[in-house]
C-alpha cells in the first residue's frame, strides 16, 4: 500500500512540474486561457485554437478536447467555450463541431462524454462512419454538476444548477435546478425555492 501511495504522489508531482512549461505552450495554442487555469500535460487535443478556457478552471489528465474542423467531406467551425471555476475530471471527452458552452462554476466528473453532434444512421447501405455528422449545440448552465460516466450528446441544454446522475444518458434538455438520472435520463428531483429543499419528482409528474 505504501508503495502505491508513493507512486501516486510521484506521478502527481511530476504532472504538476511538467504542467509549468506546458502551460506556456497551451497559452499559445488555446484561443484564450484565463489566469490560474490548469490543463494537464497528459490530454489529447485537436483544434485548441477553437477553445477558450476561463479563470481558475481545470482540465484533468486523459481528457480529450476535440474541436473538429472537418469530418469526411463536411467542414465545421467549432467553438468550445469553458467558463470560470470549471472542473473537468479525468478521462472526459468534449467533441465539438458547432458549439459547446460550459458556464461558470460547472463540475464535470470523471469519464464524462459530451458531444454536440450525432452520427447519421438513416442509410443502412452505408457504414456509420461513412455517414455525416448531425451538428447540434450543447449548453451547460452555471453551477451544474455532471456526474461520473454521464453521456450528453446532440442538441441539449443543462439548466443552471442542474445535476446529472452518474452513468446517465442525456439526449433531452434539463431544466434549471433539476436532478436527472437513468437511461434515458429523467427528472428525479427539483429544487423548491419556497422551501429551500430538493423535492422528489413522482413518475406521473414528469
Amino acid at each position: 500500500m505504501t508503495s502505491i501511495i508513493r507512486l501516486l504522489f510521484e506521478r502527481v508531482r511530476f504532472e504538476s512540474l511538467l504542467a509549468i512549461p506546458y502551460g506556456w505552450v497551451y497559452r499559445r495554442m488555446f484561443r484564450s486561457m484565463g489566469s490560474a487555469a490548469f490543463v494537464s500535460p497528459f490530454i489529447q487535443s485537436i483544434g485548441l485554437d477553437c477553445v477558450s478556457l476561463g479563470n481558475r478552471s481545470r482540465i484533468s489528465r486523459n481528457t480529450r478536447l476535440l474541436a473538429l474542423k472537418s469530418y469526411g467531406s463536411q467542414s465545421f467551425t467549432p467553438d468550445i467555450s469553458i467558463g470560470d471555476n470549471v472542473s473537468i475530471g479525468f478521462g472526459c471527452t468534449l467533441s465539438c463541431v458547432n458549439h459547446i458552452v460550459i458556464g461558470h462554476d460547472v463540475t464535470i466528473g470523471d469519464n464524462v462524454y459530451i458531444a454536440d453532434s450525432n452520427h447519421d444512421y438513416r442509410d443502412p447501405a452505408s457504414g456509420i462512419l461513412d455517414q455525416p455528422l448531425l451538428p447540434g449545440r450543447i449548453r451547460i448552465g452555471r453551477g451544474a454538476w455532471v456526474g461520473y460516466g454521464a453521456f450528453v450528446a446532440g442538441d441539449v441544454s443543462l439548466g443552471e444548477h442542474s445535476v446529472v446522475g452518474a452513468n446517465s444518458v442525456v439526449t433531452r434538455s434539463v431544466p434549471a435546478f433539476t436532478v436527472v438520472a437513468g437511461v434515458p435520463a429523467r427528472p428525479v428531483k427539483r429544487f423548491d425555492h419556497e422551501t429551500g429543499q430538493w423535492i422528489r419528482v413522482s413518475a406521473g409528474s414528469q
Side-chain angles (χ1 to χ4, degrees), residues 109-120:
D110 299 344
N111 298 323
V112 169
Y113 181 91
I114 297 173
D116 67 351
S117 63
N118 286 307
H119 273 283
D120 199 353

Side-chain angles (χ1 to χ4, degrees), residues 5 11 16 35 59 98 108 119 121 128 146 165 193 200-201:
I5 293 174
R11 181 174 181 179
S16 299
S35 63
I59 300 176
N98 188 26
I108 297 175
H119 273 283
Y121 61 89
I128 295 300
V146 183
H193 292 275
R200 186 166 296 278
V201 175

Side-chain angles (χ1 to χ4, degrees), residues 189-202:
K189 288 184 180 180
R190 290 194 178 97
F191 186 75
D192 188 320
H193 292 275
E194 292 184 1
T195 63
Q197 295 181 336
W198 290 91
I199 298 175
R200 186 166 296 278
V201 175
S202 62

Side-chain angles (χ1 to χ4, degrees), residues 10 24 36 43 122 124 128 169 197 201 204 206:
E10 290 174 353
W24 299 332
I43 67 168
R122 288 173 291 184
I128 295 300
V169 174
Q197 295 181 336
V201 175
Q206 296 179 20

Side-chain angles (χ1 to χ4, degrees), residues 132-205:
L133 293 178
L134 305 176
R137 179 187 297 261
I138 299 290
R139 288 186 175 273
I140 302 178
R142 184 171 195 147
W145 174 21
V146 183
Y148 176 95
F151 176 95
V152 182
D155 197 0
V156 172
S157 294
L158 307 182
E160 63 178 21
H161 298 284
S162 59
V163 177
V164 176
N167 298 312
S168 297
V169 174
V170 181
T171 56
R172 294 187 299 178
S173 292
V174 177
F177 298 94
T178 300
V179 179
V180 297
V183 182
R186 300 182 183 278
V188 294
K189 288 184 180 180
R190 290 194 178 97
F191 186 75
D192 188 320
H193 292 275
E194 292 184 1
T195 63
Q197 295 181 336
W198 290 91
I199 298 175
R200 186 166 296 278
V201 175
S202 62
S205 64

Side-chain angles (χ1 to χ4, degrees), residues 15 21 50-51 57 59 64-65 69 72 85 87 97 124 141 158 160 163 177 197:
E15 182 179 30
C50 300
V51 182
S57 289
I59 300 176
R64 300 192 304 163
L65 288 178
K69 298 179 182 179
N85 302 311
S87 176
V97 299
L158 307 182
E160 63 178 21
V163 177
F177 298 94
Q197 295 181 336

